[in-house]
PDB file of all heavy atoms in Angstrom:
ATOM      1  N   THR K  19     -22.135 -84.835 -93.102  1.00 89.00           N
ATOM      2  CA  THR K  19     -22.131 -83.460 -93.693  1.00 89.00           C
ATOM      3  C   THR K  19     -23.331 -82.714 -93.342  1.00 89.00           C
ATOM      4  O   THR K  19     -23.438 -81.512 -93.567  1.00 89.00           O
ATOM      5  CB  THR K  19     -21.863 -83.621 -95.139  1.00 89.00           C
ATOM      6  OG1 THR K  19     -22.959 -84.399 -95.725  1.00 89.00           O
ATOM      7  CG2 THR K  19     -20.542 -84.182 -95.432  1.00 89.00           C
ATOM      8  N   HIS K  20     -24.461 -83.420 -92.958  1.00 90.00           N
ATOM      9  CA  HIS K  20     -25.732 -82.744 -92.645  1.00 90.00           C
ATOM     10  C   HIS K  20     -26.259 -83.163 -91.326  1.00 90.00           C
ATOM     11  O   HIS K  20     -26.332 -84.445 -91.152  1.00 90.00           O
ATOM     12  CB  HIS K  20     -26.788 -82.997 -93.820  1.00 90.00           C
ATOM     13  CG  HIS K  20     -26.397 -82.289 -95.142  1.00 90.00           C
ATOM     14  ND1 HIS K  20     -26.600 -81.018 -95.354  1.00 90.00           N
ATOM     15  CD2 HIS K  20     -25.809 -82.761 -96.206  1.00 90.00           C
ATOM     16  CE1 HIS K  20     -26.158 -80.698 -96.600  1.00 90.00           C
ATOM     17  NE2 HIS K  20     -25.675 -81.787 -97.174  1.00 90.00           N
ATOM     18  N   HIS K  21     -26.616 -82.286 -90.477  1.00 90.00           N
ATOM     19  CA  HIS K  21     -27.247 -82.647 -89.223  1.00 90.00           C
ATOM     20  C   HIS K  21     -28.699 -81.970 -89.157  1.00 90.00           C
ATOM     21  O   HIS K  21     -28.788 -80.811 -89.294  1.00 90.00           O
ATOM     22  CB  HIS K  21     -26.440 -82.108 -88.047  1.00 90.00           C
ATOM     23  CG  HIS K  21     -24.991 -82.574 -88.078  1.00 90.00           C
ATOM     24  ND1 HIS K  21     -24.505 -83.560 -87.268  1.00 90.00           N
ATOM     25  CD2 HIS K  21     -23.938 -82.180 -88.778  1.00 90.00           C
ATOM     26  CE1 HIS K  21     -23.214 -83.777 -87.464  1.00 90.00           C
ATOM     27  NE2 HIS K  21     -22.821 -82.947 -88.373  1.00 90.00           N
ATOM     28  N   PHE K  22     -29.727 -82.812 -88.964  1.00 92.00           N
ATOM     29  CA  PHE K  22     -31.064 -82.364 -88.835  1.00 92.00           C
ATOM     30  C   PHE K  22     -31.549 -82.666 -87.394  1.00 92.00           C
ATOM     31  O   PHE K  22     -31.334 -83.769 -86.901  1.00 92.00           O
ATOM     32  CB  PHE K  22     -31.995 -82.967 -89.857  1.00 92.00           C
ATOM     33  CG  PHE K  22     -31.628 -82.629 -91.271  1.00 92.00           C
ATOM     34  CD1 PHE K  22     -30.821 -83.326 -92.044  1.00 92.00           C
ATOM     35  CD2 PHE K  22     -32.099 -81.382 -91.855  1.00 92.00           C
ATOM     36  CE1 PHE K  22     -30.466 -83.037 -93.349  1.00 92.00           C
ATOM     37  CE2 PHE K  22     -31.852 -81.088 -93.131  1.00 92.00           C
ATOM     38  CZ  PHE K  22     -30.998 -81.866 -93.895  1.00 92.00           C
ATOM     39  N   ARG K  23     -32.321 -81.720 -86.784  1.00 92.00           N
ATOM     40  CA  ARG K  23     -32.859 -81.998 -85.471  1.00 92.00           C
ATOM     41  C   ARG K  23     -34.409 -81.830 -85.510  1.00 92.00           C
ATOM     42  O   ARG K  23     -34.867 -80.775 -85.984  1.00 92.00           O
ATOM     43  CB  ARG K  23     -32.301 -80.957 -84.503  1.00 92.00           C
ATOM     44  CG  ARG K  23     -32.801 -80.953 -83.153  1.00 92.00           C
ATOM     45  CD  ARG K  23     -32.323 -82.073 -82.245  1.00 92.00           C
ATOM     46  NE  ARG K  23     -32.789 -81.953 -80.889  1.00 92.00           N
ATOM     47  CZ  ARG K  23     -32.553 -82.880 -79.966  1.00 92.00           C
ATOM     48  NH1 ARG K  23     -31.884 -83.913 -80.308  1.00 92.00           N
ATOM     49  NH2 ARG K  23     -33.007 -82.737 -78.756  1.00 92.00           N
ATOM     50  N   LEU K  24     -35.102 -82.803 -85.110  1.00 92.00           N
ATOM     51  CA  LEU K  24     -36.557 -82.686 -84.955  1.00 92.00           C
ATOM     52  C   LEU K  24     -36.895 -82.134 -83.622  1.00 92.00           C
ATOM     53  O   LEU K  24     -36.876 -82.925 -82.640  1.00 92.00           O
ATOM     54  CB  LEU K  24     -37.221 -84.107 -85.211  1.00 92.00           C
ATOM     55  CG  LEU K  24     -37.114 -84.719 -86.592  1.00 92.00           C
ATOM     56  CD1 LEU K  24     -37.866 -86.047 -86.626  1.00 92.00           C
ATOM     57  CD2 LEU K  24     -37.608 -83.749 -87.710  1.00 92.00           C
ATOM     58  N   ALA K  25     -37.305 -80.922 -83.609  1.00 91.00           N
ATOM     59  CA  ALA K  25     -37.618 -80.248 -82.334  1.00 91.00           C
ATOM     60  C   ALA K  25     -39.109 -80.596 -81.937  1.00 91.00           C
ATOM     61  O   ALA K  25     -39.967 -80.818 -82.822  1.00 91.00           O
ATOM     62  CB  ALA K  25     -37.506 -78.725 -82.406  1.00 91.00           C
ATOM     63  N   PRO K  26     -39.422 -80.528 -80.639  1.00 92.00           N
ATOM     64  CA  PRO K  26     -40.805 -80.810 -80.257  1.00 92.00           C
ATOM     65  C   PRO K  26     -41.715 -79.643 -80.766  1.00 92.00           C
ATOM     66  O   PRO K  26     -41.232 -78.530 -81.132  1.00 92.00           O
ATOM     67  CB  PRO K  26     -40.772 -80.689 -78.727  1.00 92.00           C
ATOM     68  CG  PRO K  26     -39.300 -81.006 -78.352  1.00 92.00           C
ATOM     69  CD  PRO K  26     -38.539 -80.484 -79.473  1.00 92.00           C
ATOM     70  N   PHE K  27     -43.031 -79.926 -80.918  1.00 93.00           N
ATOM     71  CA  PHE K  27     -43.940 -78.980 -81.440  1.00 93.00           C
ATOM     72  C   PHE K  27     -44.179 -77.911 -80.429  1.00 93.00           C
ATOM     73  O   PHE K  27     -44.165 -78.095 -79.244  1.00 93.00           O
ATOM     74  CB  PHE K  27     -45.337 -79.676 -81.662  1.00 93.00           C
ATOM     75  CG  PHE K  27     -45.401 -80.567 -82.799  1.00 93.00           C
ATOM     76  CD1 PHE K  27     -46.552 -81.295 -83.134  1.00 93.00           C
ATOM     77  CD2 PHE K  27     -44.324 -80.766 -83.665  1.00 93.00           C
ATOM     78  CE1 PHE K  27     -46.636 -82.139 -84.241  1.00 93.00           C
ATOM     79  CE2 PHE K  27     -44.293 -81.540 -84.780  1.00 93.00           C
ATOM     80  CZ  PHE K  27     -45.530 -82.270 -85.009  1.00 93.00           C
ATOM     81  N   ALA K  28     -44.348 -76.666 -80.931  1.00 90.00           N
ATOM     82  CA  ALA K  28     -44.835 -75.523 -80.181  1.00 90.00           C
ATOM     83  C   ALA K  28     -46.289 -75.690 -79.898  1.00 90.00           C
ATOM     84  O   ALA K  28     -46.992 -76.432 -80.624  1.00 90.00           O
ATOM     85  CB  ALA K  28     -44.549 -74.212 -80.827  1.00 90.00           C
ATOM     86  N   PRO K  29     -46.903 -75.025 -78.896  1.00 88.00           N
ATOM     87  CA  PRO K  29     -48.347 -75.148 -78.586  1.00 88.00           C
ATOM     88  C   PRO K  29     -49.248 -74.839 -79.801  1.00 88.00           C
ATOM     89  O   PRO K  29     -50.195 -75.585 -79.969  1.00 88.00           O
ATOM     90  CB  PRO K  29     -48.590 -74.179 -77.480  1.00 88.00           C
ATOM     91  CG  PRO K  29     -47.294 -74.118 -76.769  1.00 88.00           C
ATOM     92  CD  PRO K  29     -46.190 -74.202 -77.861  1.00 88.00           C
ATOM     93  N   ASP K  30     -48.965 -73.752 -80.558  1.00 89.00           N
ATOM     94  CA  ASP K  30     -49.785 -73.556 -81.729  1.00 89.00           C
ATOM     95  C   ASP K  30     -49.665 -74.618 -82.787  1.00 89.00           C
ATOM     96  O   ASP K  30     -50.600 -74.844 -83.549  1.00 89.00           O
ATOM     97  CB  ASP K  30     -49.498 -72.134 -82.306  1.00 89.00           C
ATOM     98  CG  ASP K  30     -48.005 -72.009 -82.750  1.00 89.00           C
ATOM     99  OD1 ASP K  30     -47.163 -72.597 -82.024  1.00 89.00           O
ATOM    100  OD2 ASP K  30     -47.801 -71.260 -83.693  1.00 89.00           O
ATOM    101  N   GLU K  31     -48.525 -75.250 -82.889  1.00 94.00           N
ATOM    102  CA  GLU K  31     -48.283 -76.259 -83.861  1.00 94.00           C
ATOM    103  C   GLU K  31     -49.058 -77.583 -83.444  1.00 94.00           C
ATOM    104  O   GLU K  31     -49.548 -78.310 -84.334  1.00 94.00           O
ATOM    105  CB  GLU K  31     -46.796 -76.529 -84.000  1.00 94.00           C
ATOM    106  CG  GLU K  31     -46.004 -75.428 -84.642  1.00 94.00           C
ATOM    107  CD  GLU K  31     -44.516 -75.611 -84.507  1.00 94.00           C
ATOM    108  OE1 GLU K  31     -44.080 -76.386 -83.663  1.00 94.00           O
ATOM    109  OE2 GLU K  31     -43.788 -74.938 -85.297  1.00 94.00           O
ATOM    110  N   VAL K  32     -49.216 -77.784 -82.116  1.00 95.00           N
ATOM    111  CA  VAL K  32     -49.992 -78.852 -81.623  1.00 95.00           C
ATOM    112  C   VAL K  32     -51.417 -78.798 -82.079  1.00 95.00           C
ATOM    113  O   VAL K  32     -52.043 -79.738 -82.596  1.00 95.00           O
ATOM    114  CB  VAL K  32     -49.929 -79.025 -80.157  1.00 95.00           C
ATOM    115  CG1 VAL K  32     -50.875 -80.038 -79.592  1.00 95.00           C
ATOM    116  CG2 VAL K  32     -48.431 -79.367 -79.656  1.00 95.00           C
ATOM    117  N   ALA K  33     -51.992 -77.579 -82.069  1.00 94.00           N
ATOM    118  CA  ALA K  33     -53.343 -77.347 -82.432  1.00 94.00           C
ATOM    119  C   ALA K  33     -53.504 -77.669 -83.932  1.00 94.00           C
ATOM    120  O   ALA K  33     -54.475 -78.328 -84.341  1.00 94.00           O
ATOM    121  CB  ALA K  33     -53.728 -75.856 -82.164  1.00 94.00           C
ATOM    122  N   ASP K  34     -52.582 -77.147 -84.779  1.00 94.00           N
ATOM    123  CA  ASP K  34     -52.690 -77.517 -86.190  1.00 94.00           C
ATOM    124  C   ASP K  34     -52.457 -78.982 -86.435  1.00 94.00           C
ATOM    125  O   ASP K  34     -53.129 -79.582 -87.381  1.00 94.00           O
ATOM    126  CB  ASP K  34     -51.577 -76.659 -86.945  1.00 94.00           C
ATOM    127  CG  ASP K  34     -51.839 -75.181 -86.854  1.00 94.00           C
ATOM    128  OD1 ASP K  34     -52.979 -74.776 -86.668  1.00 94.00           O
ATOM    129  OD2 ASP K  34     -50.879 -74.405 -87.086  1.00 94.00           O
ATOM    130  N   TYR K  35     -51.617 -79.602 -85.737  1.00 96.00           N
ATOM    131  CA  TYR K  35     -51.315 -81.075 -85.930  1.00 96.00           C
ATOM    132  C   TYR K  35     -52.552 -81.883 -85.594  1.00 96.00           C
ATOM    133  O   TYR K  35     -52.942 -82.798 -86.358  1.00 96.00           O
ATOM    134  CB  TYR K  35     -50.107 -81.522 -85.042  1.00 96.00           C
ATOM    135  CG  TYR K  35     -49.947 -83.014 -85.014  1.00 96.00           C
ATOM    136  CD1 TYR K  35     -49.303 -83.656 -86.068  1.00 96.00           C
ATOM    137  CD2 TYR K  35     -50.336 -83.724 -83.869  1.00 96.00           C
ATOM    138  CE1 TYR K  35     -48.992 -85.033 -86.051  1.00 96.00           C
ATOM    139  CE2 TYR K  35     -50.079 -85.104 -83.843  1.00 96.00           C
ATOM    140  CZ  TYR K  35     -49.469 -85.702 -84.941  1.00 96.00           C
ATOM    141  OH  TYR K  35     -49.264 -87.113 -84.895  1.00 96.00           O
ATOM    142  N   VAL K  36     -53.188 -81.545 -84.385  1.00 96.00           N
ATOM    143  CA  VAL K  36     -54.387 -82.401 -84.070  1.00 96.00           C
ATOM    144  C   VAL K  36     -55.532 -82.196 -85.056  1.00 96.00           C
ATOM    145  O   VAL K  36     -56.150 -83.187 -85.454  1.00 96.00           O
ATOM    146  CB  VAL K  36     -54.806 -81.979 -82.655  1.00 96.00           C
ATOM    147  CG1 VAL K  36     -56.105 -82.532 -82.326  1.00 96.00           C
ATOM    148  CG2 VAL K  36     -53.754 -82.373 -81.606  1.00 96.00           C
ATOM    149  N   ASP K  37     -55.733 -80.933 -85.531  1.00 95.00           N
ATOM    150  CA  ASP K  37     -56.805 -80.805 -86.460  1.00 95.00           C
ATOM    151  C   ASP K  37     -56.484 -81.461 -87.826  1.00 95.00           C
ATOM    152  O   ASP K  37     -57.358 -81.956 -88.425  1.00 95.00           O
ATOM    153  CB  ASP K  37     -56.984 -79.235 -86.658  1.00 95.00           C
ATOM    154  CG  ASP K  37     -58.181 -78.907 -87.620  1.00 95.00           C
ATOM    155  OD1 ASP K  37     -59.314 -79.266 -87.193  1.00 95.00           O
ATOM    156  OD2 ASP K  37     -58.047 -78.293 -88.570  1.00 95.00           O
ATOM    157  N   PHE K  38     -55.184 -81.414 -88.223  1.00 95.00           N
ATOM    158  CA  PHE K  38     -54.863 -82.040 -89.448  1.00 95.00           C
ATOM    159  C   PHE K  38     -55.097 -83.601 -89.345  1.00 95.00           C
ATOM    160  O   PHE K  38     -55.642 -84.178 -90.334  1.00 95.00           O
ATOM    161  CB  PHE K  38     -53.345 -81.810 -89.724  1.00 95.00           C
ATOM    162  CG  PHE K  38     -52.826 -82.741 -90.736  1.00 95.00           C
ATOM    163  CD1 PHE K  38     -52.979 -82.553 -92.127  1.00 95.00           C
ATOM    164  CD2 PHE K  38     -52.010 -83.880 -90.355  1.00 95.00           C
ATOM    165  CE1 PHE K  38     -52.435 -83.420 -93.019  1.00 95.00           C
ATOM    166  CE2 PHE K  38     -51.534 -84.816 -91.267  1.00 95.00           C
ATOM    167  CZ  PHE K  38     -51.749 -84.493 -92.677  1.00 95.00           C
ATOM    168  N   ARG K  39     -54.742 -84.249 -88.270  1.00 95.00           N
ATOM    169  CA  ARG K  39     -54.920 -85.612 -88.159  1.00 95.00           C
ATOM    170  C   ARG K  39     -56.404 -85.969 -88.125  1.00 95.00           C
ATOM    171  O   ARG K  39     -56.836 -86.961 -88.715  1.00 95.00           O
ATOM    172  CB  ARG K  39     -54.320 -86.159 -86.850  1.00 95.00           C
ATOM    173  CG  ARG K  39     -52.830 -85.973 -86.736  1.00 95.00           C
ATOM    174  CD  ARG K  39     -52.016 -87.081 -87.448  1.00 95.00           C
ATOM    175  NE  ARG K  39     -52.265 -88.391 -86.949  1.00 95.00           N
ATOM    176  CZ  ARG K  39     -51.305 -89.340 -86.902  1.00 95.00           C
ATOM    177  NH1 ARG K  39     -49.995 -89.052 -87.246  1.00 95.00           N
ATOM    178  NH2 ARG K  39     -51.492 -90.560 -86.493  1.00 95.00           N
ATOM    179  N   MET K  40     -57.276 -85.204 -87.545  1.00 95.00           N
ATOM    180  CA  MET K  40     -58.700 -85.371 -87.517  1.00 95.00           C
ATOM    181  C   MET K  40     -59.267 -85.387 -88.939  1.00 95.00           C
ATOM    182  O   MET K  40     -60.039 -86.284 -89.344  1.00 95.00           O
ATOM    183  CB  MET K  40     -59.387 -84.319 -86.686  1.00 95.00           C
ATOM    184  CG  MET K  40     -59.191 -84.505 -85.141  1.00 95.00           C
ATOM    185  SD  MET K  40     -60.076 -85.932 -84.446  1.00 95.00           S
ATOM    186  CE  MET K  40     -61.754 -85.461 -84.571  1.00 95.00           C
ATOM    187  N   ARG K  41     -58.848 -84.397 -89.738  1.00 94.00           N
ATOM    188  CA  ARG K  41     -59.363 -84.304 -91.053  1.00 94.00           C
ATOM    189  C   ARG K  41     -58.759 -85.244 -91.998  1.00 94.00           C
ATOM    190  O   ARG K  41     -59.461 -85.776 -92.963  1.00 94.00           O
ATOM    191  CB  ARG K  41     -59.090 -82.825 -91.590  1.00 94.00           C
ATOM    192  CG  ARG K  41     -59.837 -81.795 -90.636  1.00 94.00           C
ATOM    193  CD  ARG K  41     -59.784 -80.411 -91.218  1.00 94.00           C
ATOM    194  NE  ARG K  41     -60.457 -79.549 -90.145  1.00 94.00           N
ATOM    195  CZ  ARG K  41     -61.693 -79.420 -89.941  1.00 94.00           C
ATOM    196  NH1 ARG K  41     -62.576 -80.107 -90.672  1.00 94.00           N
ATOM    197  NH2 ARG K  41     -62.183 -78.599 -89.041  1.00 94.00           N
ATOM    198  N   ALA K  42     -57.571 -85.749 -91.770  1.00 94.00           N
ATOM    199  CA  ALA K  42     -56.996 -86.817 -92.536  1.00 94.00           C
ATOM    200  C   ALA K  42     -57.694 -88.195 -92.296  1.00 94.00           C
ATOM    201  O   ALA K  42     -57.698 -89.070 -93.145  1.00 94.00           O
ATOM    202  CB  ALA K  42     -55.487 -86.959 -92.211  1.00 94.00           C
ATOM    203  N   ALA K  43     -58.391 -88.250 -91.084  1.00 94.00           N
ATOM    204  CA  ALA K  43     -59.128 -89.414 -90.798  1.00 94.00           C
ATOM    205  C   ALA K  43     -60.547 -89.355 -91.252  1.00 94.00           C
ATOM    206  O   ALA K  43     -61.377 -90.243 -90.994  1.00 94.00           O
ATOM    207  CB  ALA K  43     -59.065 -89.677 -89.275  1.00 94.00           C
ATOM    208  N   GLY K  44     -60.923 -88.198 -91.906  1.00 92.00           N
ATOM    209  CA  GLY K  44     -62.251 -88.126 -92.498  1.00 92.00           C
ATOM    210  C   GLY K  44     -63.254 -87.171 -91.820  1.00 92.00           C
ATOM    211  O   GLY K  44     -64.361 -86.985 -92.263  1.00 92.00           O
ATOM    212  N   TYR K  45     -62.780 -86.470 -90.775  1.00 93.00           N
ATOM    213  CA  TYR K  45     -63.646 -85.583 -90.104  1.00 93.00           C
ATOM    214  C   TYR K  45     -63.889 -84.303 -90.950  1.00 93.00           C
ATOM    215  O   TYR K  45     -62.968 -83.770 -91.566  1.00 93.00           O
ATOM    216  CB  TYR K  45     -63.066 -85.137 -88.686  1.00 93.00           C
ATOM    217  CG  TYR K  45     -63.856 -84.122 -87.935  1.00 93.00           C
ATOM    218  CD1 TYR K  45     -65.125 -84.515 -87.380  1.00 93.00           C
ATOM    219  CD2 TYR K  45     -63.514 -82.871 -87.804  1.00 93.00           C
ATOM    220  CE1 TYR K  45     -65.888 -83.625 -86.687  1.00 93.00           C
ATOM    221  CE2 TYR K  45     -64.238 -81.915 -87.100  1.00 93.00           C
ATOM    222  CZ  TYR K  45     -65.435 -82.321 -86.544  1.00 93.00           C
ATOM    223  OH  TYR K  45     -66.185 -81.456 -85.867  1.00 93.00           O
TER     224      TYR K  45
END
C-alpha cells in the first residue's frame, strides 16, 4: 500500500551531509 524511494543526494545535499557527519563526530 505504500512505496518509498530513496533517491540519491543532490550536490547541495552532499555538502550538508558531509558537514553534518563531521560535526556528529565532534568537529
